[in-house]
Amino acid sequence: MDSFSIKGGVPLHGEVTISGSKNAALPIMAAALLTDEPCVIRRVPDLSDTRFMVKILESLGATATFTDGTLTIHAKKIRGYADYELVRKMRGSICIAGPLLARLKKARVSLPGGCIIGARPINLHLKGFAALGARIEIAGGYVDASAKKLVGASVFLGGRAGPTVLGTANVMMAATLGEGLTVIESAACEPEVVDLAEFLNAMGARITGAGSPTITITGVAKLHGAEHEVIADRIEAATFLIAAGATDGEVTLKGTRPEHLRAVIDKLNEAGVAVERRGANLVVRRKGKLKSADITTLPYAGFPTDVQAQMMSLLTLAPGISIITERIFEARFMHVSELARLGADIEIEGPSAIVKGGRPLSGAPVMASDLRASAALVIAGLAAKGTTQVNRIYHLDRGYERMDLKLRKLGARIERVEEK
Ligand code: EPZ
């Protein structure tokens, strides 16, 4: 398994171009299953997750070509039964269920199972499918959803931690080919849901209200092929903003959507990191000393859970006490013990981590446990004195396109150490 070797202490300087969003691309790729015509999707990041989704679409019978960020998917003839092992391995692939159910009136997919950051059930996805008239059976590790026809309905999709992003996406896609009107209440408002709705409307769907807690879908008989450019990855952008602040550098991020980053920019400002907007570019640098700040992760437009770990790395450098509370996933503090290896002082109290910041970090071998935890370890390694080795970076490759190259272009001393 590859690792990163990072010699820390170098302030990042220069420009970085932000890639397309992984979490927008995955459901948009699945949506191409809704039509038998070709779909062209641009700015798709080249990641192990998007390549994995291509494999899943091909296992269903679709063809796909992926060159320089442009993906052409043609789901001319497909089957409603996805390979167990493929779906089981990548949670995000659960969003093929809605399109298969809509187009074929049947879908058989393996249960995604839990993940290291939480139990992550799909009860709300299934609640939505059942509201549209689907029969749901769970057996042998599979979910079988089937219906003679899907009929529009009103469904409340709020759960333990509020709305569900992929649940909203799945039910919205299922309802596009249903009969009549569907209203999703307590829908997720994430920009990735809005981007998906825009793609679906380009395919001929009739969706309004995406981006608000109430989404309305008027079913249509058929959808056609379409072209779409995926939005910028706000989580990748947040990661680079934080890396610049943690290393006391000055970086220009190109091709971002600043309006998707308000909660992050607000907290960075509070912590002593200034982010200036210049059109679609953001310029980030520290303004004086870092300061402690309290963070609570919330559904969009609140502070994103996918930036919690990276922000913790920054706050370990800020003198004073910062309290970070994780409200979305019940086990998303795997990075805490690894940051402690680098000298950070963090205590976990229930859903909160109490960071006693200001102590300089020093390099050490650490282990990545999940996608965003690995990004946090890379940021801490960039800020630490000496050499940090981040192991198991396959986690990082799932969600960051050529992160080591982008960081090296900003002056970082980072090397990918390929396993022999
Ligand atoms: C999406 O996951 C993202 N993944 C996650 O990003 C992100 O952390 C999450 O949304 C929250 O913003 C993709 O888009 C591929 P949820 P999703 O359903 O949709 C509970 C990353 O790092 N819940 O919004 O799977 C659930 O357990 C990844 O890129 C139910 O209880 O997340 C969680 O506590 C990690 N029942 C909360 O809701 C359900 O049926 C939010 O989960 C569904 C969810």
Side-chain angles (χ1 to χ4, degrees), residues 200-218:
L200 293 168
N201 283 341
M203 295 171 79
R206 294 172 55 197
I207 301 171
T208 57
S212 82
T214 305
I215 298 179
T216 304
I217 305 108
T218 307

Side-chain angles (χ1 to χ4, degrees), residues 22-24 26-27 49 91-95 115 117-127 157 159-168 188 190 192 234-235 298-300 304-306 327-330 332 370-372 398-400:
K22 165 184 81 85
N23 290 347
L26 293 175
D49 270 15
R91 287 195 53 79
S93 58
I94 189 65
C95 59
C115 103
I117 65 176
R120 304 186 72 177
I122 58 164
N123 56 310
L124 297 168
H125 300 231
L126 304 182
K127 176 184 175 187
L157 276 191
R160 182 194 60 79
T164 162
V165 176
L166 287 180
T168 301
E190 270 68 4
E192 294 78 24
R234 62 192 170 101
I235 308 298
L298 293 165
Y300 190 84
T305 173
D306 295 348
R327 288 272 178 241
I328 306 296
F329 292 107
E330 58 275 23
R332 201 168 203 179
D370 61 82
L371 169 56
R372 307 305 172 182
R398 288 191 40 226
Y400 292 92

Side-chain angles (χ1 to χ4, degrees), residues 59 110 166 182 300 319 336 339 377 398-399:
S59 81
S110 57
L166 287 180
T182 295
Y300 190 84
V336 168
L339 287 172
L377 297 178
R398 288 191 40 226

Side-chain angles (χ1 to χ4, degrees), residues 338-402:
E338 295 307 302
L339 287 172
R341 287 180 193 285
L342 301 173
D345 183 349
I346 308 167
E347 262 175 58
I348 297 178
E349 289 278 337
S352 300
I354 296 143
V355 181
K356 296 192 187 97
R359 204 196 280 177
L361 300 179
S362 60
V366 290
M367 185 78 77
S369 54
D370 61 82
L371 169 56
R372 307 305 172 182
S374 39
L377 297 178
V378 169
I379 291 171
L382 292 167
K385 209 157 148 297
T387 302
T388 295
Q389 175 150 354
V390 182
N391 294 303
R392 296 191 181 170
I393 50 158
Y394 63 84
H395 289 291
L396 199 92
D397 292 335
R398 288 191 40 226
Y400 292 92
E401 193 176 34
R402 295 188 294 280

Side-chain angles (χ1 to χ4, degrees), residues 270 291-295 315-316 318-324 345-347 353-358:
E270 201 182 310
K291 287 176 284 183
S292 60
D294 296 342
I295 308 270
L315 293 171
T316 64
I321 304 282
S322 299
I323 299 177
I324 299 178
D345 183 349
I346 308 167
E347 262 175 58
I354 296 143
V355 181
K356 296 192 187 97

Side-chain angles (χ1 to χ4, degrees), residues 45-114:
D46 189 354
L47 308 165
S48 54
D49 270 15
T50 49
R51 290 209 171 262
F52 209 77
M53 183 59 111
V54 166
K55 273 213 199 104
I56 291 172
L57 297 175
E58 288 171 339
S59 81
L60 292 167
T63 59
T65 57
F66 192 4
T67 329
D68 301 333
T70 297
L71 185 55
T72 302
I73 299 170
H74 194 179
K76 194 168 176 61
K77 209 167 170 328
I78 55 170
R79 62 181 189 164
Y81 171 91
D83 181 288
Y84 188 91
E85 277 311 312
L86 282 180
V87 174
R88 198 181 64 73
K89 283 208 189 97
M90 184 178 74
R91 287 195 53 79
S93 58
I94 189 65
C95 59
I96 64 172
L100 292 176
L101 183 59
R103 180 159 163 206
L104 304 176
K105 305 299 176 276
K106 65 176 182 193
R108 177 166 224 234
V109 293
S110 57
L111 272 171

